[in-house]
Amino acid sequence: MTDALTMQDAVDGAESGIRPFAIDVSAADLDDLRDQLGRTRWPDQLPDVGWDYGVPLGYLKELADYWRHSYDWLAYQSRLNAFPQFTTTIDSQNVHFLHVRSPEPDALPLLLTHGWPGSVAEFLKVIGPLSDPAAHGGDRADAFHLVIPSMPGFGFSGPTRERGWTVGRIAQAWAQLMSRLGYSRYGAQGGDFGALVSPELGHVDPEHVVGVHVNAASVGFIPWGPVERAELATFTAEEKARLARKERFLTEGSGYFQIQATRPQTIAYSLTDSPIGQLAWITDKFNEWTHGPLEDAVERDELLTNVMFYWLTGTAGSAARLYYENMHAPGNWSRPPSSVPVGVATFAEDVSIRRYGEQGNNIVHWSDFDRGGHFAAMEAPDLLVGDIREFFRALR
């Protein structure tokens, strides 16, 4: 069935510049990675500091050894290539995407957008349940046709080539992508930066977007600046816990943000030249943002596959530029909310607070979960799939 869909999509896309694509990493590139890992120049570390100063030396050495000797990229490449993939050019930018049609002809098209430090590989556990629910114990009426693009500057979309690739410009590109695929009515879902792009689609393409679902939401769903004492007194215990996580992020966890938002080119040299540097940069955030111990939350091979999307494509620097572009773009925070319905899934490590989300979004659905974290599609795919299905049932 996959081959037939690929051929049909190639025929359908001939007029619109949609090109079939398969991931094909050379043996030379994989050998070079293993060689570089074997020549790592390791730093020192203070004794008994755990994760206080960042990724522990012993932990990263062991993870790097596994990456070099045991991790099997080709197995994941085959797994990814089992899904139809394509590239197209939008606004002079190459865009790579998975296009997984449901066997259910009346399925609702759904656009899934990843964030940083994520990739399309984040969604491997949810593609089957969302596109073919009947084969995964669900109701066939909940089926989706899935479009899963690599954001400009990320992964196999390759680096951006000019300034200005902001969240708003990505949303404009996604609207054009869905139109190019022939979808006049669709939903949008995303986490992290995907939770910025997806609501933006409700502003730039409201005639076609039936609903927006987000997880790992922050900007637009959190307070700007300090919360006044009188308002804080009305907070629930859970809201106070989320505010505390947000404050801890600002004081202890936002160094990567400041660097990528101000000096993405400077950090690009280290991340592009050193696989250990890239591994540590991403592993630090996975450890911070997952719920519970990292290796209980996300399988080691999943983490490394995600890292490989940055390493193999040399896109660490261009992905970091997304922070710079958005921090240096004119703000547009005073506009009224889009009328497009919004659903929010808040997992155990998230910071979104409903009262602030309602100031700029037409929120009609809100779920709170006591497990899962920032990478919900990896950590708690069952909860994420269930919440997406529930939200969109009333919008089909």
Side-chain angles (χ1 to χ4, degrees):
M1 183 166 184
T2 297
D3 289 341
L5 287 174
T6 302
M7 292 173 61
Q8 184 60 52
D9 278 344
V11 171
D12 292 345
E15 292 298 320
S16 56
I18 296 175
R19 304 170 292 273
F21 177 84
I23 302 170
D24 185 16
V25 175
S26 70
D29 284 343
L30 298 176
D31 289 342
D32 178 68
L33 170 61
R34 284 188 284 268
D35 180 62
Q36 290 199 56
L37 289 170
R39 292 185 290 106
T40 299
R41 184 184 182 198
W42 294 99
D44 73 321
Q45 177 177 294
L46 295 173
D48 305 319
V49 296
W51 288 81
D52 291 349
Y53 288 71
V55 183
L57 178 61
Y59 180 84
L60 203 67
K61 278 187 171 181
E62 198 274 328
L63 183 58
D65 184 74
Y66 179 87
W67 193 11
R68 185 184 182 201
H69 294 291
S70 301
Y71 171 76
D72 185 358
W73 163 258
L74 294 179
Y76 272 84
Q77 177 174 282
S78 296
R79 187 174 170 188
L80 287 156
N81 282 340
F83 300 110
Q85 296 174 67
F86 306 88
T87 61
T88 191
T89 302
I90 301 175
D91 194 5
S92 301
Q93 170 66 36
N94 183 64
V95 174
H96 160 256
F97 63 99
L98 282 65
H99 188 193
V100 184
R101 297 183 195 265
S102 172
E104 307 298 335
D106 296 329
L108 176 68
L110 180 64
L111 176 64
L112 299 176
T113 304
H114 65 83
W116 185 93
S119 69
V120 297
E122 277 188 62
F123 298 111
L124 282 173
K125 289 180 178 177
V126 303
I127 290 175
L130 288 175
S131 64
D132 191 4
H136 294 81
D139 186 341
R140 65 182 66 250
D142 287 326
F144 297 94
H145 298 307
L146 299 177
V147 178
I148 311 174
S150 297
M151 286 205 295
F154 287 69
F156 292 98
S157 285
T160 49
R161 302 297 183 186
E162 60 185 4
R163 289 175 177 261
W165 274 101
T166 62
V167 162
R169 189 170 176 183
I170 293 171
Q172 293 279 2
W174 281 187
Q176 187 172 341
L177 174 62
M178 296 304 278
S179 175
R180 190 170 294 183
L181 292 171
Y183 292 135
S184 60
R185 188 174 183 273
Y186 64 94
Q189 199 284 330
D192 189 79
F193 263 108
L196 290 170
V197 174
S198 300
E200 187 66 19
L201 271 164
H203 287 279
V204 305
D205 199 21
E207 305 86 0
H208 305 114
V209 177
V210 301
V212 169
H213 183 279
V214 297
N215 66 285
S218 56
V219 177
F221 296 85
I222 55 177
W224 286 109
V227 176
E228 297 294 333
R229 180 175 298 181
E231 184 173 1
L232 186 60
T234 69
F235 272 35
T236 66
E238 186 54 55
E239 287 175 327
K240 290 178 180 177
R242 290 173 189 166
L243 182 64
R245 282 196 292 273
K246 177 233 178 190
E247 295 302 325
R248 182 182 180 279
F249 169 80
L250 292 176
T251 57
E252 295 287 337
S254 62
Y256 81 96
F257 185 106
Q258 294 300 327
I259 291 172
Q260 295 191 159
T262 61
R263 293 295 184 270
Q265 189 64 34
T266 301
I267 193 64
Y269 299 109
S270 300
L271 302 182
T272 305
D273 183 63
S274 169
I276 292 298
Q278 180 68 92
L279 179 64
W281 195 246
I282 288 179
T283 299
D284 184 82
K285 301 338 291 178
F286 266 75
N287 180 69
E288 283 286 304
W289 297 344
T290 50
H291 182 56
L294 170 56
E295 295 210 1
D296 291 343
V298 174
E299 296 172 17
R300 180 173 287 193
D301 283 3
E302 291 179 311
L303 169 61
L304 291 173
T305 298
N306 195 67
V307 172
M308 290 288 270
F309 265 73
Y310 292 83
W311 177 256
L312 293 171
T313 60
T315 54
S318 58
R321 284 199 293 267
L322 181 58
Y323 286 80
Y324 184 98
E325 301 295 355
N326 282 287
M327 291 300 291
H328 291 79
N332 190 17
W333 306 114
S334 60
R335 64 185 175 183
S338 165
S339 61
V340 173
V342 172
V344 181
T346 302
F347 292 86
E349 294 297 322
D350 288 341
V351 296
S352 51
I353 298 174
R354 182 164 186 163
R355 66 179 74 195
Y356 299 108
E358 288 177 337
Q359 293 174 9
N361 299 276
N362 177 26
I363 295 176
V364 300
H365 171 95
W366 187 284
S367 297
D368 295 311
F369 298 108
D370 61 4
R371 62 181 172 91
H374 188 86
F375 306 96
M378 292 179 171
E379 298 180 64
D382 57 328
L383 298 181
L384 182 63
V385 167
D387 205 64
I388 292 171
R389 289 173 176 171
E390 182 180 351
F391 170 68
F392 281 104
R393 276 182 194 135
L395 303 174
R396 290 178 177 270

